[in-house]
Amino acid sequence: MTSPTPTALPALDAAKLREDFPILHQQVNGHPLVYLDSGATSQRPLPVLDAERDFLEHANAAVHRGAHTLAAEATELFEDARATVAGFVGARPEHLVWTSGATMGLNLVAYSIGNASAGAGAPASARLALRPGDEIVTTAIEHHANLLPWQELAARTGAVLRHIPAHDDGTLDMDAAADLIGQRTRIVAFTHVSNVLGIVNPAADLVALARRVGALTVMDACQSAPHLPLDLPALGVDLAVFSGHKMLGPYGVGGLYGRSDVLEAMPPFLTGGSMITTVTLERAEYLPPPQRFEAGTQPIGPAIGLAAAVRYLDAVGLDRIHAHEGMLAERMRAGLAEIPGIRLLGDAPGAERVGLWSFDVEGVHAHDAGQFLDARGIAVRVGHHCAAPLHARYGVTASVRASTALHNTLDDVDALLDAASGIRPYFGV
Amino acid sequence: MTSPTPTALPALDAAKLREDFPILHQQVNGHPLVYLDSGATSQRPLPVLDAERDFLEHANAAVHRGAHTLAAEATELFEDARATVAGFVGARPEHLVWTSGATMGLNLVAYSIGNASAGAGAPASARLALRPGDEIVTTAIEHHANLLPWQELAARTGAVLRHIPAHDDGTLDMDAAADLIGQRTRIVAFTHVSNVLGIVNPAADLVALARRVGALTVMDACQSAPHLPLDLPALGVDLAVFSGHKMLGPYGVGGLYGRSDVLEAMPPFLTGGSMITTVTLERAEYLPPPQRFEAGTQPIGPAIGLAAAVRYLDAVGLDRIHAHEGMLAERMRAGLAEIPGIRLLGDAPGAERVGLWSFDVEGVHAHDAGQFLDARGIAVRVGHHCAAPLHARYGVTASVRASTALHNTLDDVDALLDAASGIRPYFGV
Amino acid sequence: MSDLDALYRELILDHWKHPQHFGLAEEQADSGHSGTSHQRNPVCGDEITLRAFVDGETVTDVQWEGRGCSISQASASMLSDLVAEEGLSRAETVTLIEGFREALRSRGQLELDEDVYGDAAALSGVSKFSARVKCAMLAWVALEDAIAKA
Amino acid sequence: MSDLDALYRELILDHWKHPQHFGLAEEQADSGHSGTSHQRNPVCGDEITLRAFVDGETVTDVQWEGRGCSISQASASMLSDLVAEEGLSRAETVTLIEGFREALRSRGQLELDEDVYGDAAALSGVSKFSARVKCAMLAWVALEDAIAKA
Ligand SMILES: Cc1ncc(COP(=O)(O)O)c(C=O)c1O
Ligand SMILES: Cc1ncc(COP(=O)(O)O)c(C=O)c1O
C-alpha cells in the first residue's frame, strides 16, 4: 500500500464524523447498521441535507431568468455552488458543466462528439469529428457508463472501439496501452478508479500516451472524487465526470469538467431553454460553455447541496480521507485474505487504492453471501456492479463489494471480517 | 372562462395551504413575499421536503442493484413512487420513465427517434425512423424545450419542421393545423398549456388530427400537470413529459409517459448501468421499458419527493385547484385589463386557462416593470420565458408573467394589481 | 428461527446442493413436444435455460441448466420435481405459476400450501426479501415461457 | 431614498428617455478607423449594436443602437457621452471598462467615482441588483469588443 499517509496531519476521527450522518444511527436486522456500500451511493451528512433544505425554505427560485429578489439570490447561490465544486477539482467555474450525474456526463460527451461527427457545431467542432476507422480506446475494467456510450458512438460513426486489457492483479496493462494508443486513436476514455477493483489507475501516464497522438482524454472520476485529492487541470485530462450522490451530495446532480478549448469545440447535446442566444421557429444559436450544455432547468437545489458536500469533504481534508480509507482497505485486505475460500479481485501488491474491495466466496453465490452479511446488519453490494466484462475477465458473474467512506471505522471493518468468516460455514461449503 | 367549477366541492382554502409552504413566510424588500412565479418553478410544501429528507435519513441506498435491507427498502419506495406518479396522470407504472425533467424527456424522445432513424433499435424501431421529406409538426407557441430538439432532429434526419400558427388571441389556428397535419406528418409535438399564454390547447383535437395520418403525438404537460386533472391515456397522446419542480416536487426529476407500443419501439437514448441485460466489451443488449431509458443512478430521493408532491396535489384535488386558479386568473385579467397601457398576451375570450397571465407594459421594458414589482415584494418573471418565437409573434422581445399555484390567494392577485397600476407612473410614461 | 434461517430452509440448501432434473439432454432438441426458454436476471447475471416437454395438454417433464444463487437453483430444482412428478396439465401449471408469483410478491402475507407446492412451499420465506423474489421466480418465468412455446 | 430609487436615479431615467449618441450613421460603415460590436442578453433578448471610432490610439466617437431596459439604454447613452467627450486612449478606455465591471460586480461594495465616470457613476446602484448587472454591462462589453476590432 503506497497511499500517502501525511504524517503531519492528525488522522481523521471517523467515529466523530459518523455523528453527522443520521442514517447510520439505526439497527438493521437487530444489529447496528454497518454501511459498506458508499461505492454505490454515499450517505449524506447533515450540512448537506441542511444546505438543500435551507435553500428550498428560503431562497428557492428558478435561476438566470428572473429579476426578482429570490431569483437573483438563487442565481448567486447556484453560481457560487459552481465555483465551489469546480474549485474542489482544481478547476475554474467556467470549466464545470452541471449534469444529472456521471452517466449523463459521459453520454453528453459521446453524443456531442457524435453530433460533431455528423457535421454539427462550429468550425472548431470538426476537430472532434470521428470518421470510420478512427479508434476509441477504453479499458477492460470500465463501468458500463464508460463503455456503452462509446460502443454506441462507435456504431454511429464507424469508429472502432478498442480496450486496454488488465493484468490478473487488476492493474492496467500499460505496455498494451502504449501499443493500442496510436495514430488512429482519437479518444482515450478510462476510469480513474474502478468501482470493482479500487485501484487508482495511472491517469497521468494514460494522458501522456493520449497526448502523444493528439487523442482526447475522458476520465471517469466517480470513484476517486470523494476519496482522494483531485486536481484535474494538473492531471491534464481534457474531460472528466463525477456524480454528486457518490460524494456525499444529492441525487440528480453531477459535474462534467472540461478544458476551455475542448468545451468550446463541442456542439450542444441537449437543447432547450437557457442555453441559447437567439431562437426563431427555424433555427437557434447557442451560448458558450458551460451554459451551452445546460438545457432546461438545472438541478439547483442539488447543486447547492453538492457544494455543501465538497465543502464538508474539504474541511475534513482529502489527504486525510485518502489515508484513512487506505488504512481501512489495508485491514480489510489482511482480514479477508485470511478467510478460507475468499478470493480478492484486483489484489495488486503495493497499488495505490481507495477503501474498496470486491471478492468472491468459493461455492457461495454473491447474493447469498450478501444476504448473510445483511442479516448481521452489514450492507455490501452484490452483483456485477455494472462492470460485467470485468467480472467475465475474472471468470465470475457476480462478486461481493465492500466500499468505505470517511465515516467508516475499523469497527465496521472488523464487523465485516467477523461476519464474512461465517459465510461458508453457514452454507455448509 | 369555461373552467369547470365543480360546485359539489367546497373551494380550496389557499390561505390554509400557504401554511404548508415555508418559503412563503418571509418579507422581501420590506413587503410580504407574493410569489407569482410558479410557472418557472413551484415552491415545495412541507410534506415534499419531509418525504425526501426522511428517505435520506432512514432508507437511502442505491436501488435495483443490491440485496441489503436498505437497498431493498429504497427500491420499494422508488418503485412505489413510480406507481404513484404514473397514477397521477392516469397511467400504469410501466408507462412512466423517470427523467431529470421535461427538457430531458423531450430530448430523450427526439434522440431516440434520431437513433431509430440511423438504424438503431429493434425491428419495431423502424416505424419510428424519419426519412428526408418526412414532416415534424410543432406549434408557433412552444417553449424552446419543445422546439429546439425537433429542429435538431429535423437537421439530423432531413425531415422538415412545420409550425401550427396561433391566432392573435393566443389560441392555435386549428384550421391551419388540419391543413398542416397530412400524409407526410410523422410527429406532432405540442404543448398542453403554453407557459406564456396559459390557454389550455385542444389536445384531444390535435391527437385526432395526428391519428388520422398515423403520426406520433408528443405532449408537453409541464404547465398543465400541476394545474388541472390529467388522464394521459384517455387523452390518447403517445408520449408526454412533465417536470417535478413545476409541480411542487424536487429539482432533478421529471416524467416521460409513453404508450407501451411506442416505448417498446424506441431505441435507447442514454446508455450505462441498470438498463442492460447483457454486456460484453463489444456490445450490449437492453432491458425493456421503462428501464431501457433509465441509464445510471436515477434521482431516487427526488422521485420519492415527487410522489409526495402528487399525493399533496391529489389530496387537495386537481378539480379544485383548477377552479381556484381559474378564479385567480379571472380576477387578474379583469384588473390588468383596466390598467392603462397594459396589454395581455393571449387574451382569448372564453378559453379554458390555468392561472397565468403574461403582459406587456407600454413604454416600460419588462425588466423594469419586474424590478418595480419586486420592490413591492411581488415575484414575477420577466423575459421571453424561453419562448422567443412566440414573443416575436406579438412584436415584443420580453413580457412580464404572473403565474399562480394552489397557495395563491386573491390578496396576492390584488397586491399585483395594485402595484402594476403604479408601473407606468413611476417611470413617467 | 432467525429470518435468515427462514429464508435458507434446510430443504432449499438441499436442493441447491443436489439439483433435480438438472441437465439438458442434447439429443432431445426442441420438437413439437417441447419448448425451451432462456431467462436472465440482469442485476446479478444469473441465468437459466429450461425445457418443458408437453404431451397433448400434459406437461410430462422439465429439464434445466443454469447458474445462480442458492435460491434460484433450489427453486428450479423444486419446480422441476413438482411439475414432472405430478403430470400437471398446461392449465394447471399456469395456475400453479400464478399462485407462486402472487405468494412471492405478497411481502410475507401469503404462505405456499405444501400440499400443492411440495418442497417449493419452502420458498414462502423468500417473499419477505423483496430483492430475492426475482431469484426465486426465474425458473417459474422460464417454465411459463417454455410451455407457451411447446 | 428607497432601494428602487437608488437604482432608477433621475439621471438614468433621463438618459433612457433621451439617449445620447443614438443612431448608427449608415454612410460610415466599418473602416480601419472603426469597429462594430453586436451584443445580446440572451435572457431578455435585449441587444445593442455599438460602433467605436478610433484615430490612432484615441477613441474619437461612439455610436449605438439597441433596445432593452432603461438600465441598458441609459448605460449605453452614458458610456457614449463619457468616451466621446473625454477623447480617451484605447488603453484608458479598457481600464475604464475594467473598473466599471469591477464596481458593478462588487455587490454594492464599490462606488463609481463621478470624476472618472461622469453620469455613468449613477449606475453604481445597479451593483446591488445582481440580475441587472448584465443590463448595465451590455454597452461596455460591446465597446470593449468594438475597440478590439477597430
Ligand atoms: C411549457 C414548458 N415546457 C418545457 C419546460 C422545460 O422544463 P424544464 O426546464 O423543467 O426541463 C418548461 C419550463 O421551463 C415549460 O414551461
Ligand atoms: C466508476 C463509475 N462510473 C460511472 C458510474 C455511474 O454513475 P451514475 O450512476 O451516478 O451516473 C458509477 C456508479 O455507478 C461508477 O462507479
Side-chain angles (χ1 to χ4, degrees):
Chain A
M1 191 79 26
T2 64
S3 306
T5 311
T7 42
L9 286 170
L12 64 77
D13 185 350
K16 185 130 186 306
L17 294 178
R18 268 180 69 85
E19 290 167 19
D20 294 333
F21 293 79
I23 199 171
L24 299 178
H25 309 124
Q26 63 178 294
Q27 302 272 312
V28 166
N29 297 321
H31 298 262
L33 169 63
V34 175
Y35 190 74
L36 290 171
D37 197 17
S38 293
T41 201
S42 59
Q43 299 299 348
R44 283 65 155 168
L46 283 169
V48 171
L49 298 173
D50 290 345
E52 203 175 343
R53 178 131 186 178
D54 273 5
F55 169 72
L56 292 171
E57 293 198 353
H58 299 109
N60 178 46
V63 303
H64 284 310
R65 287 184 285 180
H68 65 75
T69 300
L70 288 185
E73 203 175 327
T75 303
E76 279 176 31
L77 289 168
F78 177 66
E79 290 302 331
D80 286 351
R82 189 194 301 274
T84 302
V85 174
F88 179 72
V89 293
R92 297 179 46 80
E94 60 270 28
H95 299 154
L96 185 82
V97 177
W98 296 114
T99 67
S100 58
T103 300
M104 175 63 165
L106 292 163
N107 277 274
L108 189 168
V109 173
Y111 269 103
S112 174
I113 293 174
N115 289 345
S117 306
S125 306
R127 76 175 173 99
L128 296 177
L130 297 182
R131 282 168 301 269
D134 282 350
E135 294 182 358
I136 304 170
V137 173
T138 173
T139 86
I141 65 170
E142 297 304 315
H143 188 279
H144 295 163
N146 202 21
L147 175 62
L148 274 53
W150 307 118
Q151 289 183 352
E152 296 288 326
L153 177 62
R156 274 199 296 279
T157 58
V160 177
L161 185 61
R162 306 190 69 185
H163 309 279
I164 301 170
H167 295 296
D168 284 347
D169 69 2
T171 58
L172 290 175
D173 182 340
M174 291 300 287
D175 292 336
D179 287 344
L180 271 170
I181 299 172
Q183 290 309 321
R184 295 190 165 176
T185 309
R186 305 294 312 285
I187 300 169
V188 178
F190 61 93
T191 192
H192 195 191
V193 173
S194 146
N195 65 318
V196 179
L197 305 170
I199 298 169
V200 181
N201 291 315
D205 297 343
L206 288 164
V207 168
L209 289 175
R211 283 235 176 119
R212 214 184 40 179
V213 299
L216 197 74
T217 47
V218 183
M219 190 172 86
D220 177 351
C222 271
Q223 297 289 349
S224 55
H227 301 300
L228 48 84
L230 206 53
D231 185 332
L232 294 173
L235 213 48
V237 292
D238 291 312
L239 298 157
V241 302
F242 47 87
S243 272
H245 74 98
K246 292 192 196 274
M247 47 201 286
L248 315 188
Y251 288 113
V253 68
L256 165 67
Y257 156 84
R259 290 161 51 102
S260 292
D261 58 326
V262 176
L263 290 180
E264 237 0 296
M266 284 167 56
F269 165 44
L270 302 179
T271 56
S274 304
M275 45 82 75
I276 53 90
T277 54
T278 47
V279 175
T280 64
L281 286 176
E282 289 72 32
R283 62 188 307 278
E285 283 175 41
Y286 300 109
L287 282 168
Q291 276 77 23
R292 183 189 298 162
F293 305 107
E294 297 178 348
T297 305
Q298 295 299 296
I300 306 168
I304 287 164
L306 181 52
V310 303
R311 275 196 298 270
Y312 187 89
L313 288 167
D314 262 340
V316 177
L318 272 292
D319 276 323
R320 295 208 294 164
I321 293 170
H322 191 29
H324 174 73
E325 294 176 8
M327 188 261 295
L328 298 177
E330 181 73 24
R331 170 92 137 236
M332 214 188 272
R333 197 209 85 87
L336 289 171
E338 270 181 14
I339 301 175
I342 283 193
R343 175 169 63 121
L344 294 163
L345 305 188
D347 188 12
E352 184 183 353
R353 315 185 51 92
V354 301
L356 173 165
W357 283 103
S358 298
F359 55 92
D360 177 50
V361 184
E362 199 192 320
V364 181
H365 189 279
H367 255 179
D368 295 320
Q371 197 78 59
F372 180 85
L373 296 175
D374 183 58
R376 278 157 186 68
I378 298 165
V380 296
R381 187 117 312 220
V382 298
H384 54 51
H385 319 306
C386 298
L390 167 57
H391 280 81
R393 165 77 177 72
Y394 281 104
V396 291
T397 49
S399 66
V400 178
R401 181 184 72 189
S403 55
T404 64
L406 72 183
H407 55 65
N408 285 114
T409 61
L410 284 172
D411 288 347
D412 292 341
V413 174
D414 290 343
L416 168 72
L417 295 175
D418 181 48
S421 66
I423 297 172
R424 296 181 75 236
Y426 181 83
F427 289 99
V429 296
Chain B
M1 192 77 27
T2 64
S3 308
T5 311
T7 41
L9 286 170
L12 66 77
D13 185 349
K16 185 130 187 306
L17 295 177
R18 268 180 69 84
E19 290 168 19
D20 294 334
F21 292 79
I23 199 171
L24 299 178
H25 310 124
Q26 63 177 295
Q27 302 271 314
V28 166
N29 297 321
H31 299 262
L33 169 63
V34 174
Y35 189 75
L36 290 170
D37 197 17
S38 292
T41 201
S42 59
Q43 299 299 348
R44 283 68 156 164
L46 282 169
V48 171
L49 298 173
D50 289 345
E52 204 175 342
R53 179 132 185 176
D54 273 6
F55 169 71
L56 292 171
E57 292 198 353
H58 299 108
N60 179 45
V63 302
H64 283 311
R65 287 184 285 179
H68 65 76
T69 300
L70 287 185
E73 203 176 327
T75 303
E76 279 176 31
L77 289 167
F78 178 65
E79 290 302 330
D80 285 352
R82 189 195 300 275
T84 302
V85 174
F88 179 72
V89 292
R92 295 179 48 80
E94 60 269 29
H95 299 153
L96 185 81
V97 177
W98 295 116
T99 67
S100 60
T103 300
M104 175 64 167
L106 292 163
N107 277 274
L108 188 169
V109 173
Y111 268 104
S112 174
I113 294 175
N115 288 346
S117 307
S125 306
R127 76 175 172 98
L128 297 177
L130 296 182
R131 284 168 298 269
D134 282 349
E135 294 183 357
I136 304 169
V137 173
T138 173
T139 85
I141 64 170
E142 297 304 315
H143 187 281
H144 296 163
N146 202 21
L147 175 62
L148 274 51
W150 307 117
Q151 289 182 352
E152 296 288 327
L153 176 62
R156 273 199 296 279
T157 58
V160 177
L161 186 61
R162 307 190 69 186
H163 309 279
I164 300 170
H167 295 296
D168 284 347
D169 68 3
T171 58
L172 290 176
D173 183 341
M174 291 301 286
D175 292 335
D179 286 345
L180 271 171
I181 300 172
Q183 289 309 322
R184 296 191 164 174
T185 308
R186 304 293 313 285
I187 300 168
V188 179
F190 61 92
T191 191
H192 196 192
V193 173
S194 145
N195 66 316
V196 179
L197 304 170
I199 297 170
V200 181
N201 291 316
D205 298 343
L206 288 164
V207 168
L209 288 175
R211 284 235 175 120
R212 215 184 41 180
V213 298
L216 197 75
T217 47
V218 183
M219 189 171 88
D220 177 352
C222 271
Q223 297 290 346
S224 55
H227 301 299
L228 47 84
L230 206 53
D231 184 332
L232 294 173
L235 212 49
V237 291
D238 292 310
L239 297 157
V241 301
F242 48 86
S243 271
H245 74 98
K246 293 193 195 273
M247 46 203 286
L248 316 188
Y251 288 113
V253 68
L256 166 67
Y257 157 84
R259 289 160 52 102
S260 292
D261 59 326
V262 176
L263 289 180
E264 236 1 294
M266 283 167 57
F269 165 44
L270 302 179
T271 56
S274 302
M275 46 81 76
I276 53 91
T277 54
T278 47
V279 175
T280 64
L281 286 176
E282 288 72 34
R283 61 188 307 278
E285 284 177 40
Y286 301 108
L287 283 168
Q291 277 77 23
R292 183 189 298 162
F293 305 107
E294 297 178 348
T297 305
Q298 295 299 296
I300 306 170
I304 287 164
L306 180 53
V310 304
R311 274 196 299 270
Y312 186 91
L313 288 168
D314 262 339
V316 177
L318 270 294
D319 277 322
R320 295 208 294 164
I321 293 170
H322 190 29
H324 174 72
E325 293 176 10
M327 188 263 292
L328 298 177
E330 181 73 24
R331 171 94 137 236
M332 214 188 273
R333 197 209 85 87
L336 289 171
E338 270 181 15
I339 301 174
I342 283 194
R343 174 167 65 119
L344 293 164
L345 305 188
D347 187 12
E352 184 182 353
R353 315 184 53 91
V354 300
L356 173 164
W357 284 102
S358 297
F359 55 92
D360 176 51
V361 184
E362 200 191 319
V364 181
H365 189 279
H367 254 178
D368 295 320
Q371 197 77 59
F372 179 86
L373 295 175
D374 183 57
R376 278 158 186 69
I378 299 164
V380 296
R381 187 115 312 219
V382 297
H384 53 52
H385 319 306
C386 299
L390 168 57
H391 280 82
R393 164 78 179 68
Y394 282 104
V396 291
T397 48
S399 66
V400 179
R401 179 183 74 188
S403 54
T404 65
L406 72 184
H407 55 65
N408 284 114
T409 61
L410 284 172
D411 287 348
D412 291 341
V413 174
D414 290 344
L416 168 71
L417 295 174
D418 181 47
S421 66
I423 297 172
R424 296 180 77 238
Y426 181 83
F427 289 100
V429 297
Chain C
M1 188 165 56
S2 79
D3 271 3
L4 195 69
D5 296 341
L7 176 64
Y8 293 114
R9 303 253 173 94
E10 219 32 66
L11 215 47
I12 292 181
L13 297 182
D14 276 356
H15 272 273
W16 167 50
K17 287 179 190 163
H18 309 290
Q20 306 298 301
H21 296 261
F22 190 91
L24 298 169
E26 287 226 4
E27 61 278 19
Q28 298 167 311
D30 268 20
S31 70
H33 294 307
S34 70
T36 304
S37 174
H38 178 79
Q39 296 292 328
R40 200 181 167 85
N41 183 341
V43 177
C44 51
D46 289 357
E47 45 193 334
I48 189 169
T49 307
L50 180 147
R51 183 170 299 148
F53 296 86
V54 183
D55 187 1
E57 280 306 300
T58 311
V59 183
T60 56
D61 199 9
V62 172
Q63 298 175 352
W64 65 281
E65 270 177 23
R67 54 180 180 181
C69 65
S70 60
I71 303 289
S72 73
Q73 303 297 291
S75 179
S77 173
M78 290 162 158
L79 170 65
S80 309
D81 254 6
L82 181 68
V83 173
E85 276 156 33
E86 300 281 332
L88 299 175
S89 73
R90 281 173 189 263
E92 284 165 338
T93 310
V94 168
T95 310
L96 197 75
I97 296 171
E98 275 166 10
F100 186 78
R101 181 181 280 125
E102 202 188 335
L104 281 196
R105 289 194 181 156
S106 74
R107 303 187 182 184
Q109 297 308 300
L110 301 176
E111 280 280 319
L112 290 162
D113 182 350
E114 219 184 299
D115 291 345
V116 179
Y117 286 92
D119 286 1
L123 292 163
S124 291
V126 178
S127 80
K128 277 194 199 140
F129 295 82
S130 63
R132 306 304 296 280
V133 170
K134 270 196 182 168
C135 312
M137 284 304 306
L138 202 64
W140 301 66
V141 169
L143 178 59
E144 199 172 32
D145 185 41
I147 291 179
K149 287 176 179 167
Chain D
M1 186 164 59
S2 78
D3 270 3
L4 196 70
D5 295 343
L7 176 64
Y8 294 114
R9 304 256 172 94
E10 218 33 67
L11 214 47
I12 292 181
L13 298 182
D14 275 356
H15 272 273
W16 168 48
K17 287 178 190 164
H18 310 287
Q20 307 298 301
H21 296 262
F22 190 91
L24 297 170
E26 288 226 2
E27 62 277 19
Q28 300 169 309
D30 267 20
S31 71
H33 295 307
S34 70
T36 304
S37 174
H38 178 79
Q39 296 292 328
R40 201 182 168 85
N41 182 343
V43 178
C44 51
D46 289 357
E47 45 193 334
I48 188 169
T49 306
L50 180 147
R51 183 169 298 148
F53 296 85
V54 183
D55 188 0
E57 279 306 301
T58 312
V59 182
T60 56
D61 198 10
V62 171
Q63 298 173 352
W64 65 282
E65 271 177 21
R67 56 181 179 180
C69 66
S70 61
I71 303 290
S72 72
Q73 302 297 292
S75 180
S77 172
M78 290 162 158
L79 170 65
S80 308
D81 255 6
L82 181 68
V83 173
E85 276 157 35
E86 299 283 332
L88 298 177
S89 74
R90 280 172 189 265
E92 284 165 338
T93 310
V94 168
T95 308
L96 196 75
I97 296 170
E98 276 166 9
F100 187 77
R101 180 180 281 125
E102 201 188 337
L104 281 195
R105 289 193 181 158
S106 74
R107 303 187 182 186
Q109 296 309 302
L110 300 176
E111 281 280 320
L112 291 162
D113 182 349
E114 219 183 300
D115 290 344
V116 180
Y117 286 92
D119 286 2
L123 292 163
S124 291
V126 177
S127 80
K128 279 195 198 140
F129 296 82
S130 62
R132 306 304 297 279
V133 170
K134 270 196 183 171
C135 310
M137 284 303 306
L138 203 64
W140 300 64
V141 169
L143 178 60
E144 199 170 31
D145 185 41
I147 291 179
K149 288 177 179 168

